[in-house]
Amino acid sequence: RTQGTSFSSPIVAGAGALVMTRYPELSGFQVGEVLRVTADQSVYDNFSRNLTNQMGLGRLDVEQAVTKQLPSIRIDKVELLNADGDIAQAGEDAFMFVDFKNWLWATSSNLEVTISTDNRNVDISSATSRIGIIEMEQVVNNRRAPFELSIRSSTPANTTVDILVEYRDGEYIDYEFFSVLVNPTFLNLQENSVSTTFSNNGRIGYQDNDQEEGIGYIIEGTNMLFEMGLIMGTGINTQISNIRGEQAGSFEADFASNGSINLSRPGSISSAEIVGSFDDSGAGGDAFGLDVDYRAMAWKNDADQDYVIIEYEVTNTSGADINDFYTGLFADWDINQDNSRDFADYHMPTNTGYVFSGDPSELRYAGIQILNQGANYFAIENDDDLEGNPLGIYDGFTDEEKFTSISGGIAKQQAGFGVDGGTDVSHVISAGPINIAAGETEVIAFAIHGTGSFEDLVASAEAADILYNQTLQAPVPTAEGATV
């Protein structure tokens, strides 16, 4: 088989049993790798070149499986970054950093790894790397000599590029395929003590539903976020979102990229900024007619290092006034890493909804703050079966529930406190109601915080309020002209 070994065949299962007897210290997966890497590859000598690397490594060879001790190198992690260490985009040179894991016996110092691709959007300039010795179950990266390539400026957004990796080390000849996303419509903001992802579909933390395109929301090396995204609307039947949908396991995709996404360091008013844009065309006939330009900002100085600010400029392109409009962020946090036993609450003086763990060994707080509009808040116990729970979302997040969560003022301030040790919680914090006249633009700003204590969370929220509503709003000083 191409990428692994199946024990569905009695012959293969018998061979696996022999290998287990010969090497009882190996795991089941490692036994499968022994059968794979010792396969007889000469079976393909007379095959068409078109079938090269398309039909598996070879034919089962039981004698070699119990006599030869070969490595088995597999890719563990891939990063495609530009010279600044950010996600590489169209028109940029890129470095491919790869973590390789050896599942079986040690390689020699002559291990050679080569990459190639048929995709014309990518040109590989440095395709071969000598990794050196990798011991059994050791992970080694190629950061000292990464693969180098360039992404053509004509590359479409979110292009998937398939890469062939070939391994050679004496008798060990192996290969595998992997895919990388090139010129993505999401970027990571990693400028201060918190790190997260912003995307051109309005989602935060991850661009996709499978949590593969993005880094979540990281504090002190720990990701605390399961999902975050936007809800906008004026009523139960007139609302749009990009988060989980009506049915369990479904997701809405009402926002679509309508421009590029860029990261600048330093930014125009911060240490680093991501700017992008999207509209509500994904909602089809339910679309309001909105263009949204956003700017995510981070600062390095001590007072402002525990948050990022996301500012939305919402423009009404519908040709008619939009009244009683709400814009909210939904976040499903998992502060507790084992069983999601968390609490949600709201800090009135700073308009900050926050979530924290019931486990004293996990002293981390995540919060979302409204900076420049009237606030609404709803704390959610995710489990629908909890007694007296007015809004659970395990069975789906309905349009009625979404509009209830963004439009009721401080409707439900706490979640998790009725359960010993906390429970799985989410929350929604929104701005509104707002009236947006035809052709006009309204600005809505949130700060997203991550700290190690409640006191630090409040201090961070106060700092964000001062920075956004005082420092950034102060008139820019002008200097008299001078001739030198």
Side-chain angles (χ1 to χ4, degrees):
R1 295 169 65 90
T2 301
Q3 298 298 339
T5 301
S6 170
F7 288 173
S8 58
S9 162
I11 297 175
V12 176
L18 288 174
V19 174
M20 286 181 178
T21 302
R22 175 75 172 85
Y23 305 112
E25 70 277 10
L26 299 184
S27 68
F29 179 81
Q30 288 173 305
V31 169
E33 288 299 285
V34 170
L35 298 180
R36 189 182 65 79
V37 300
T38 58
D40 178 11
Q41 300 183 36
S42 68
V43 68
Y44 297 128
D45 288 347
N46 296 320
F47 274 56
S48 166
R49 284 181 173 270
N50 293 334
L51 299 177
T52 302
N53 298 329
Q54 300 297 318
M55 297 180 61
L57 201 57
R59 178 176 55 190
L60 177 69
D61 190 322
V62 180
E63 180 182 4
Q64 290 194 119
V66 295
T67 57
K68 288 191 174 181
Q69 296 184 347
L70 299 177
S72 175
I73 313 300
R74 300 283 90 177
I75 289 174
D76 194 55
K77 179 183 176 183
V78 178
E79 290 182 298
L80 190 62
L81 305 178
N82 62 21
D84 295 324
D86 300 315
I87 295 174
Q89 295 181 285
E92 293 186 326
D93 294 329
F95 300 93
M96 183 176 290
F97 300 101
V98 184
D99 288 354
F100 298 96
K101 182 168 183 177
N102 181 14
W103 287 95
L104 296 176
W105 291 277
T107 69
S108 77
S109 58
N110 296 319
L111 172 65
E112 187 175 271
V113 184
T114 302
I115 64 170
S116 60
T117 183
D118 294 330
N119 195 301
R120 296 184 178 181
N121 292 299
V122 170
D123 297 311
I124 299 175
S125 56
S126 179
T128 301
S129 184
R130 290 189 177 274
I131 307 300
I133 297 173
I134 312 178
E135 302 291 343
M136 180 183 287
E137 296 192 278
Q138 183 184 16
V139 176
V140 172
N141 64 59
N142 69 336
R143 289 192 173 274
R144 291 186 177 180
F147 303 113
E148 297 179 24
L149 48 87
S150 59
I151 305 169
R152 296 187 180 182
S153 57
S154 59
T155 303
N158 296 318
T159 295
T160 298
V161 176
D162 295 325
I163 304 288
L164 170 64
V165 185
E166 296 178 278
Y167 306 98
R168 290 186 176 272
D169 184 15
E171 288 187 278
Y172 174 59
I173 300 174
D174 200 356
Y175 75 94
E176 67 177 314
F177 286 94
F178 71 93
S179 299
V180 292
L181 192 67
V182 173
N183 194 27
T185 51
F186 67 91
L187 291 171
N188 300 330
L189 191 58
Q190 300 173 287
E191 196 66 15
N192 53 25
S193 66
V194 297
S195 301
T196 192
T197 299
F198 294 92
S199 70
N200 262 15
N201 63 5
R203 291 178 178 166
I204 298 174
Y206 303 100
Q207 175 173 257
D208 64 328
N209 303 331
D210 299 320
Q211 300 180 323
E212 295 178 351
E213 299 170 4
I215 58 175
Y217 193 87
I218 297 173
I219 299 174
E220 297 177 348
T222 300
N223 175 33
M224 307 192 303
L225 182 67
F226 183 80
E227 179 189 1
M228 188 186 301
L230 281 166
I231 308 172
M232 294 178 171
T234 60
I236 294 172
N237 299 316
T238 52
Q239 62 83 33
I240 53 179
S241 69
N242 61 357
I243 57 173
R244 64 190 70 187
E246 296 259 355
Q247 306 297 323
S250 68
F251 288 85
E252 304 291 347
D254 293 335
F255 303 114
S257 174
N258 67 358
S260 61
I261 180 172
N262 296 286
L263 184 148
S264 56
R265 185 186 292 115
S268 59
I269 57 174
S270 63
S271 300
E273 294 177 8
I274 293 174
V275 295
S277 61
F278 55 87
D279 57 36
D280 63 346
S281 59
D286 294 328
F288 285 93
L290 301 174
D291 281 342
V292 182
D293 295 321
Y294 68 89
R295 177 167 57 173
M297 300 166 281
W299 290 263
K300 286 184 174 182
N301 48 296
D302 290 344
D304 304 302
Q305 67 175 339
D306 292 334
Y307 66 83
V308 295
I309 288 177
I310 176 75
E311 184 182 63
Y312 298 100
E313 295 184 356
V314 182
T315 301
N316 176 6
T317 62
S318 69
D321 295 348
I322 300 175
N323 297 319
D324 297 326
F325 183 75
Y326 296 85
T327 297
L329 282 179
F330 162 83
D332 184 354
W333 300 99
D334 290 328
I335 311 297
N336 183 287
Q337 300 290 295
D338 296 326
N339 51 22
S340 299
R341 298 182 69 83
D342 294 329
F343 301 90
D345 208 337
Y346 188 75
H347 186 248
M348 293 279 190
T350 59
N351 290 331
T352 304
Y354 61 96
V355 174
F356 62 99
S357 172
D359 187 340
S361 67
E362 296 180 304
L363 294 178
R364 291 185 293 269
Y365 283 69
I368 304 177
Q369 175 187 22
I370 288 285
L371 287 173
N372 67 336
Q373 301 281 353
N376 306 269
Y377 185 71
F378 204 108
I380 302 170
E381 280 106 3
N382 294 349
D383 189 349
D384 307 270
D385 295 330
L386 288 177
E387 185 177 352
N389 187 7
L391 199 165
I393 58 176
Y394 279 170
D395 62 349
F397 203 178
T398 68
D399 290 348
E400 181 177 359
E401 290 172 330
K402 287 176 183 175
F403 188 69
T404 296
S405 71
I406 65 174
S407 63
I410 311 302
K412 189 170 185 292
Q413 182 172 334
Q414 295 182 329
F417 289 87
V419 182
D420 185 27
T423 187
D424 190 11
V425 301
S426 302
H427 62 179
V428 177
I429 184 165
S430 71
I434 301 167
N435 298 327
I436 311 177
E440 295 298 315
T441 299
E442 284 290 332
V443 177
I444 301 138
F446 300 86
I448 308 172
H449 303 267
T451 66
S453 70
F454 175 72
E455 292 75 17
D456 288 343
L457 178 75
V458 172
S460 183
E462 291 172 344
D465 178 67
I466 292 171
L467 186 145
Y468 187 82
N469 291 306
Q470 297 182 33
T471 305
L472 297 184
Q473 305 305 322
V476 177
T478 59
E480 294 183 3
T483 301
V484 178

